Amino acid sequence: MKPPGVESGPAVVHGLGRGSLSLRTLLAAFVLALAAPAAASAGLVSMHVRDVSLGSRSLSASRPAAPFDMLGVHWIGSGSVEYRTRSATGRWRPWRRVDADNRSGAWHDGDLDWTGRSLAVRFRVRGEVRRLRSYELDSRVLSAPVRATTSAEMPAIVTREAWHANEEIVRARPVIASRIRVAIVHHTAGTNSYTRSQSAAIVRGIEAYHVLGNGWNDIGYNFLVDRFGTVYEGRGGGIERNVVGAHAQGFNFGTVGVALIGSFNSTAPTAAQQQALVDLLAWRLDVAHLDPSSTVGYTSSGNYKFRAGRVVTLRAISGHRDTGPTECPGARAYALLPSLIHRVAVTGLPKLYSPEVVGVLGGTLRFRARLSTPLQWTVTVTDRHGAAVATGAGHGTFVDWSWRSGAAPPGPLAWVIAADGVRAATGTLGSGSGLPFVPSPVPSLSLTALASVPSVLAPAVDGSGTGATATFTLGSAANVRGQIVDAGGRVAATVLAEQRDAGPNSLSWSAAPLVDGRYRLVLTATAVGQSVTKAIGVVVDRTLSSLQASSLAISPNGDGSQDATSAAFVLTRAVPLRIDVLQGGAVRATIYQGTLGPGPQTIGWDGTAAGAALPDGLYQLAFTVTDALGDVRQTIPITIDDTPPALSLLDRSTLAFTLSEPAIVTLLVNGQSSIVIGEPAGRFTVPFAGPVTSVVARAQDFAGNSSATVSG
């Protein structure tokens, strides 16, 4: 998993890609998501992706593949993008500027807007925009979901199950931080005019867009709040756990992200929305024992505003604009933060803040905390059977008690700091408490599973191809320093310098400032007098860049649909080039070997080896250039699939079908209503208002194979 906020590239539909990194990973992610067993939420959201031709600054209206009610836009360039949509009644809505709070390499990842039912969209650009991609989503509106609570202190929250989150597209298990240090307030942008029932559809659409459009592991926010004051659970993993989201690039670890559904640049959040935000943060920060009025020094892991390693002073409740180059959460919402912080601070008193245990089991341990008002407090340490080992007590605003633990039994021991009317703070000694103290015995420090994707970075003139993601696992919490070291052993860049929690971790880094060469990514983890270092080789080579394929899935059967693919790339100089077809690491064929000159190049492949058709399966096109760095290889995955999907009509009245594999299904209902949807394998139904008198349908898989037409 990438650092939240840049977790991976976007999903790719119909061969659309952003470069070699996206092409390697994302069509597979989309296909696998559709191939998974259909959940209750499967089919509630369909998404169509297309590149928009930039023939003029004011782009002509275009009719999407299907009606939509949510729109996301990605683009490359320093300029901005605006859009307007045409309603179902034929009226063109006002122009809207696309907000882009996130960056994935050279791409601006625009926020997802609720447009209402739309039949067409028109774009216009201002300034430099070199590529433009449209994500059109249809998120079906159901009845308003039911809110639930699990404790008296917790506000009512609509769970993921209740809003029909699609758990099948979630790409990784949640990462859990040891503690929450900051709450970050966002807005989703888009319209403020939506109904209670549409709120859940918006949340479902955001999940699909974040995962299949932005390529993140799950929905980016931890919570969302609509204009009616309804709170929605966001990223999965547990609402009381410190789940790392993807809401503030460079500032996701140890933060909780709350998004207000709507746009608040010129309009303030509703009173109900503000109160729900106050109640949510008062409860969630109390769970974290975080003082809402405090400030925190946070070390950025890197974004376009704060480089990696930069220490930024943040309020415990901050706006997204405090952490990155964005207007989020909007001028009106941001101006409310001081009053909202005060309201959070006085809600649910009394409270206990900043509990910590400092010391080593076997020596002197110091228990400290702060109370919102003077109270009688106690500290209790118990053994594994629940018997008290030590107790302390006092009165006042500050908890400060020391215990000489030399005669204590071996851990784990449990500790509790409690006071009348407050949420008690708890932890363990000897097995890690998640709070800032040194446990005993000292856990073994390890750094394993270091990987960096891609291993070859090919920066292009347009800024693409510069980003990489490194993943690693820590055996215990440690301070981690990441450096890019050149062949001479000199540090070319420092890409990470911060405390990280035990378990899976990740970092993003950019090759943009590096010259071509062979480097090592060196990670050093340090904790409690221990240190461990791991390194992995990476290459920066601009000789061959912008590698992408016209189609990542082909069906070489001569039917004229995706019979072949072509790989486009750019060479900066004349170099020897070899293109091999690999399967399981073995060379099945060499489709080109020679020297090509500088400039754009295109090589086609028809799915054969020495003139013989290759069987269905997953292959790689490997592009190896020989330059000053030796042999440098980049690859693109290509699937050969010559088997058409099987589509069956089960019930005409309910438009119930079955599919043998993931596919795009096109329907003509009652001779006039055209519907295009993406569906997984298995049984599915297509919603339609009114009686169905006739239906004609056909499915096309991602390799261009078409099913037989079914009708009823």
Side-chain angles (χ1 to χ4, degrees):
M1 167 180 163
K2 284 189 177 180
V6 227
E7 293 187 337
S8 286
V12 181
V13 182
H14 297 302
L16 301 178
R18 288 188 173 180
S20 56
L21 175 60
S22 297
L23 288 168
R24 280 203 266 290
T25 59
L26 296 174
L27 182 61
F30 183 73
V31 172
L32 288 174
L34 287 180
S41 56
L44 293 180
V45 181
S46 60
M47 182 173 74
H48 302 275
V49 187
R50 59 196 178 96
D51 279 340
V52 178
S53 175
L54 295 173
S56 65
R57 298 183 65 83
S58 182
L59 308 178
S60 59
S62 56
R63 186 178 183 86
F68 62 93
D69 49 30
M70 303 186 79
L71 179 72
V73 181
H74 292 182
W75 75 94
I76 292 177
S78 59
S80 61
V81 178
E82 297 176 343
Y83 76 88
R84 65 189 306 188
T85 59
R86 192 174 68 202
S87 70
T89 62
R91 179 179 61 87
W92 283 98
R93 301 182 176 98
W95 287 99
R96 297 183 62 88
R97 183 176 180 271
V98 179
D99 287 337
D101 295 339
N102 299 285
R103 293 283 294 272
S104 298
W107 287 83
H108 298 267
D109 296 345
D111 290 329
L112 184 66
D113 290 353
W114 177 266
T115 63
R117 199 64 173 169
S118 301
L119 303 182
V121 59
R122 175 178 292 158
F123 297 95
R124 67 185 182 192
V125 300
R126 300 184 185 276
E128 180 201 24
V129 175
R130 299 191 300 277
R131 290 187 67 182
L132 180 62
R133 180 161 298 156
S134 176
Y135 295 77
E136 294 137 11
L137 289 83
D138 180 14
S139 184
R140 301 175 192 174
V141 177
L142 308 175
S143 58
V146 177
R147 297 182 288 178
T149 60
T150 59
S151 67
E153 300 86 3
M154 189 186 80
I157 296 175
V158 177
T159 64
R160 290 172 63 87
E161 180 181 12
W163 60 259
H164 298 291
N166 188 352
E167 305 295 355
E168 302 298 341
I169 66 173
V170 175
R171 298 171 57 184
R173 293 179 179 178
V175 174
I176 309 298
S178 61
R179 55 177 173 156
I180 292 297
R181 303 179 64 206
V182 178
I184 299 177
V185 179
H186 303 256
H187 69 173
T188 62
T191 183
N192 296 322
S193 300
Y194 52 84
T195 66
R196 290 181 184 272
S197 298
Q198 289 171 341
S199 296
I202 291 173
V203 175
R204 283 193 297 274
I206 292 173
E207 179 201 25
Y209 181 61
H210 281 184
V211 177
L212 301 178
N214 293 348
W216 299 347
N217 291 337
D218 193 353
I219 190 170
Y221 310 116
N222 298 100
F223 299 94
L224 302 95
V225 183
D226 72 10
R227 69 188 185 96
F228 305 99
T230 305
V231 179
Y232 292 83
E233 177 186 5
R235 178 163 291 214
I239 58 177
E240 294 192 42
R241 302 178 73 198
N242 305 329
V243 177
V244 177
H247 56 91
Q249 185 176 351
F251 292 81
N252 288 297
F253 223 89
T255 65
V256 57
V258 182
L260 303 173
I261 299 177
S263 180
F264 303 106
N265 286 309
S266 57
T267 302
T270 66
Q273 199 167 27
Q274 293 181 44
Q275 187 60 54
L277 177 64
V278 167
D279 293 341
L280 173 66
L281 291 179
W283 163 76
R284 188 62 187 86
L285 297 191
D286 188 30
V287 171
H289 297 293
L290 178 63
D291 183 352
S293 302
S294 64
T295 58
V296 175
Y298 190 106
T299 302
S300 169
S301 61
N303 62 31
Y304 284 84
K305 183 175 182 180
F306 297 114
R307 59 173 174 77
R310 170 79 176 274
V311 178
V312 182
T313 299
L314 298 174
R315 294 170 293 187
I317 301 175
S318 291
H320 187 191
R321 64 173 61 184
D322 295 324
T323 69
T326 174
E327 297 177 353
C328 181
R332 295 293 300 276
Y334 188 77
L336 287 171
L337 285 185
S339 65
L340 292 173
I341 291 171
H342 174 72
R343 291 168 62 183
V344 171
V346 299
T347 298
L349 295 175
K351 297 178 183 177
L352 184 152
Y353 303 129
S354 306
E356 65 176 5
V357 183
V358 179
V360 178
L361 188 61
T364 299
L365 290 166
R366 188 177 182 184
F367 296 77
R368 293 188 295 191
R370 183 167 55 86
L371 296 163
S372 60
T373 190
L375 294 170
Q376 185 72 32
W377 53 261
T378 61
V379 179
T380 306
V381 181
T382 57
D383 63 17
R384 67 186 65 195
H385 304 294
V389 173
T391 60
H395 182 276
T397 303
F398 293 95
V399 176
D400 195 344
W401 176 71
S402 295
W403 171 47
R404 294 181 179 179
S405 62
L413 304 178
W415 59 264
V416 178
I417 302 176
D420 291 340
V422 306
R423 183 187 300 272
T426 62
T428 56
L429 302 171
S431 62
S433 70
L435 289 170
F437 78 102
V438 180
S440 178
V442 175
S444 176
L445 176 62
S446 62
L447 194 165
T448 58
L450 175 60
S452 188
V453 178
S455 59
V456 175
L457 291 98
V461 175
D462 65 3
S464 61
T466 62
T469 298
T471 55
F472 58 96
T473 300
L474 291 173
S476 62
N479 187 278
V480 183
R481 177 173 292 273
Q483 295 177 316
I484 307 297
V485 179
D486 66 18
R490 294 176 294 272
V491 176
T494 298
V495 294
L496 180 66
E498 69 179 25
Q499 183 76 13
R500 286 297 183 92
D501 293 315
N505 279 270
S506 60
L507 69 96
S508 63
W509 62 280
S510 173
L514 301 177
V515 299
D516 287 7
R518 293 187 180 273
Y519 297 85
R520 288 181 303 139
L521 170 62
V522 181
L523 293 189
T524 300
T526 305
V528 198
Q530 304 178 75
S531 181
V532 61
T533 298
K534 296 290 183 181
I536 189 171
V538 293
V539 178
V540 178
D541 192 341
R542 293 170 172 81
T543 300
L544 187 155
S545 65
S546 304
L547 177 62
Q548 54 185 311
S550 62
S551 179
L552 297 179
I554 61 175
S555 54
N557 53 15
D559 65 355
S561 177
Q562 292 178 232
D563 289 326
T565 187
S566 60
F569 52 94
V570 177
L571 293 173
T572 58
R573 59 181 67 90
V575 290
L577 170 66
R578 188 179 71 254
I579 306 176
D580 297 315
V581 178
L582 308 180
Q583 187 178 39
V587 177
R588 297 295 303 269
T590 298
I591 60 177
Y592 179 83
Q593 187 165 5
T595 299
L596 293 175
Q601 305 287 348
T602 302
I603 299 289
W605 183 52
D606 60 0
T608 63
L614 291 173
D616 286 7
L618 180 63
Y619 299 83
Q620 286 186 321
L621 293 184
F623 295 72
T624 304
V625 297
T626 303
D627 56 17
L629 301 180
D631 287 349
V632 178
R633 171 183 285 182
Q634 300 182 53
T635 60
I636 301 177
I638 302 292
T639 297
I640 296 179
D641 176 8
D642 205 15
T643 304
L647 177 68
S648 300
L649 175 63
L650 301 179
D651 184 358
R652 185 189 69 187
S653 63
T654 61
L655 293 181
F657 297 84
T658 60
L659 258 177
S660 62
E661 62 175 304
I664 301 297
V665 181
T666 303
L667 305 92
L668 185 66
V669 182
N670 298 341
Q672 56 185 7
S673 296
S674 179
I675 304 173
V676 183
I677 55 175
E679 290 293 342
R683 189 182 190 278
F684 66 96
T685 59
V686 180
F688 185 80
V692 177
T693 58
S694 67
V695 60
V696 179
R698 188 176 68 172
Q700 185 177 62
D701 65 20
F702 295 97
N705 300 298
S706 294
S707 71
T709 300
V710 299
S711 59

